[in-house]
Amino acid sequence: MMDVIVVGGGPTGLMLAAELRLHDVNVVVLEKRDEPSTESRGQGLHARSVELMDQRGMLDRFLAVSEKFQVGGLFGGIMKPWPESLDTAHPYGLATPQPVTERLLDERARELGTEIRRGSEVVGLSQDEDGVTVELADGTGLRARYVVGCDGGRSAVRKLIGVDFPGEPATVETLLGDMEVTADPATIAAAVAEVNKTQLRFGVTPGENGVCRIVVPADGVAEDRAAPTLDEFRQQLRAFAGTDFGVHSPRWLSRFGDATRQAERYRVGRVFLAGDAAHIHPPTGGQGLNLGIQDAFNLGWKLAAAVDGRAPEGLLDTYQAERHPAGARVVENTRAQMMMLGTDAGATALRKLFSRLMDFEEVNRYVTGMIAAVDVRYDLGEGHELLGLRMRDVRLKEGRLYELMHGGRGLLLDRTGRLSVEGWADRVDHVVDAAEELDVPAVLLRPDGHVAWVGEDQRELLDRLTEWFGAAED
Ligand SMILES: Cc1cc2nc3c(=O)[nH]c(=O)nc-3n(C[C@H](O)[C@H](O)[C@H](O)COP(=O)(O)OP(=O)(O)OC[C@H]3O[C@@H](n4cnc5c(N)ncnc54)[C@H](O)[C@@H]3O)c2cc1C
């Protein structure tokens, strides 16, 4: 029996598999596509995801193939300067096309020993006390102790475990596609600028090899959700810009709506949901892919501890307790953004007002922190203001904090030199450092970089170590 089956080899599933492999979990990714996706959906990584990549030693790979962008806001189409007071050592996002992100995550998962089986579609699932059996479209089956559905918005796993997906259906749809154009860049830029005065769901963005990414509102909402045709693009481009820019040779044509839904539960027994399988929302603010890999980052170490048999009571349930609110917040903010992207006078007035508000540094910091997800705080009870937040990177006497987190272990950063993690040294690193950028005596970090404890009392520390990492070894 495998330890974990990850269903779906998109960004969420690949990130999760790599996290599990850091702890030697025996994991297989089942992916129904025969080939990697080339769809230009997610446009990049926000600051928190950049931090995650740094925490796992992956950032250099992303920097080598991505442009940095330092834009604040990104809320309802409003862009502002980056808020200087946002507390991160990575004050930027990375423009990384989704296929590139998936390639890098795939490479890393494989390097760490993940088996990725393409052409494997999950069609059935049943669980009992000891494990979960999945049934594949080719009639074969596979069994594991845990299964995680990372199989996207139409998740088969979610349906198979009977989890409701309540929310709002789509009211508007947008066509998105990659294709070539014959119009020259100046004509395109002028036409797009004119349309954007009243319609922000419109764009013609040049990409690699002469292929442009086209975004244009659809004519209504397609009942059958079928892929659009090139003629549909031509018709809508003419309706909005007066020209179809000579679009031809489509590579990928799709439509997306503004439906917002969130799974009622992220866990049923031994089966979990993560990424789009757990939440869908419009792509405003570019948060979906980021949210999914952050789900994976939260679940990976917890599931690994459960497989290892050392997970403290209730640890697996903290996944739902922590990530459901994080998902709900994104669902909510995308709803608000869609209101602001309307073309009526009310939406325009709202956008203007919001834009003026975002000129206040505090508002800009709040909104940018939310979109970049660096302000996500898990409810770990009363305590120090850092408790539950992710810890920013800090310079140490030698090196940086994030460089010490590549192995996905817990970490005690101790300025006192008087504390000890004896009994947990196999799971938690102890770094004694005067760290001038840290103004607390000591901080205990979970493998996902969130602060589990702040203080200097050894007895308190022992309680928190037990709470998050299980019993001490003899
Ligand atoms: C137009 C658009 C623009 C976007 N822009 C951004 C952006 O800028 N930034 C951002 O963060 N996000 C963006 N997103 C959202 C982002 O693309 C998704 O949130 C992200 O792909 C979710 O990753 P995932 O791994 O959870 O799911 P998916 O990427 O959907 O991956 C699921 C995988 O599961 C596989 N699968 C499905 N069913 C089965 C099955 N039964 N058995 C086996 N395998 C299965 C699929 O083939 C797929 O590979 C955008 C989305 C759209 C539509």
Side-chain angles (χ1 to χ4, degrees), residues 75-80 195-201 336-359:
F75 193 86
I78 299 167
M79 296 188 205
K80 293 287 172 183
V195 177
N196 282 160
K197 284 180 186 165
T198 52
Q199 176 53 263
L200 290 174
R201 286 187 294 125
Q337 291 185 70
M338 286 309 286
M339 293 297 288
M340 286 169 51
L341 287 178
T343 52
D344 56 287
T348 308
L350 190 60
R351 204 162 53 238
K352 272 190 188 156
L353 174 65
F354 211 86
S355 177
R356 285 198 292 270
L357 287 173
M358 281 178 60
D359 288 333

Side-chain angles (χ1 to χ4, degrees), residues 146-460:
Y146 296 97
V147 166
V148 187
C150 303
D151 50 345
R154 297 179 199 178
S155 172
V157 173
R158 188 183 66 233
K159 291 170 194 152
L160 289 165
I161 55 174
V163 168
D164 275 352
F165 203 36
E168 307 293 323
T171 56
V172 291
E173 261 182 3
T174 309
L175 306 183
L176 168 70
D178 296 331
M179 60 201 83
E180 293 180 43
V181 297
T182 55
D184 62 90
T187 308
I188 294 174
V192 171
E194 188 57 31
V195 177
N196 282 160
K197 284 180 186 165
T198 52
Q199 176 53 263
L200 290 174
R201 286 187 294 125
F202 186 92
V204 181
T205 315
E208 286 176 2
N209 307 323
V211 176
C212 284
R213 176 182 163 102
I214 308 262
V215 180
V216 59
D219 183 16
V221 175
E223 290 299 319
D224 57 2
R225 309 187 68 185
T229 61
L230 186 59
D231 275 342
E232 212 172 327
F233 274 81
R234 289 191 176 116
Q235 175 194 314
Q236 292 307 103
L237 287 168
R238 279 189 220 120
F240 281 87
T243 167
D244 63 14
F245 304 107
V247 291
H248 65 97
S249 310
R251 308 293 200 275
W252 171 61
L253 303 178
S254 72
R255 64 175 81 242
F256 62 89
D258 62 342
T260 47
R261 297 187 179 280
Q262 188 175 21
E264 237 164 24
R265 302 170 64 187
Y266 281 19
R267 175 187 184 187
V268 174
R270 293 177 166 274
V271 184
F272 296 79
L273 299 171
D276 277 15
H279 36 69
I280 56 160
H281 49 79
T284 39
Q287 301 167 91
L289 179 154
N290 289 269
L291 189 60
I293 61 180
Q294 289 157 23
D295 286 347
F297 211 61
N298 183 287
L299 180 58
W301 66 278
K302 296 173 182 174
L303 205 47
V307 166
D308 192 35
R310 289 197 291 197
E313 179 79 23
L315 182 69
L316 284 179
D317 289 328
T318 65
Y319 171 62
Q320 152 96 22
E322 294 175 352
R323 293 309 295 171
H324 196 278
R329 194 171 75 142
V330 173
V331 164
E332 188 180 88
N333 85 42
T334 54
R335 277 187 184 141
Q337 291 185 70
M338 286 309 286
M339 293 297 288
M340 286 169 51
L341 287 178
T343 52
D344 56 287
T348 308
L350 190 60
R351 204 162 53 238
K352 272 190 188 156
L353 174 65
F354 211 86
S355 177
R356 285 198 292 270
L357 287 173
M358 281 178 60
D359 288 333
F360 291 97
E361 169 74 9
E362 211 172 330
V363 178
N364 191 10
R365 183 179 67 229
Y366 177 81
V367 174
T368 307
M370 176 175 65
I371 297 290
V374 292
D375 66 348
V376 171
R377 179 196 292 277
Y378 299 142
D379 183 5
L380 306 190
E382 296 290 308
H384 192 275
E385 60 181 15
L386 285 177
L387 192 65
L389 286 172
R390 101 317 176 207
M391 179 90 200
R392 61 163 281 155
D393 193 20
V394 292
R395 271 194 302 274
L396 305 175
K397 283 279 174 262
E398 280 177 37
R400 300 182 293 116
L401 173 64
Y402 282 10
E403 287 171 345
L404 303 177
M405 304 187 73
H406 293 180
R409 293 157 53 83
L411 189 146
L412 176 69
L413 180 54
D414 175 10
R415 294 175 72 213
T416 72
R418 285 183 276 103
L419 297 167
S420 162
V421 296
E422 201 183 324
W424 288 270
D426 56 341
R427 285 154 274 176
V428 180
D429 294 324
H430 183 190
V431 177
V432 177
D433 191 292
E436 283 166 15
E437 287 182 40
L438 192 69
D439 59 1
V440 292
V443 53
L444 176 65
L445 300 180
R446 311 188 318 186
D448 60 1
H450 280 256
V451 176
W453 173 76
V454 179
E456 53 188 327
D457 181 314
Q458 178 69 26
R459 275 166 313 177
E460 264 180 40

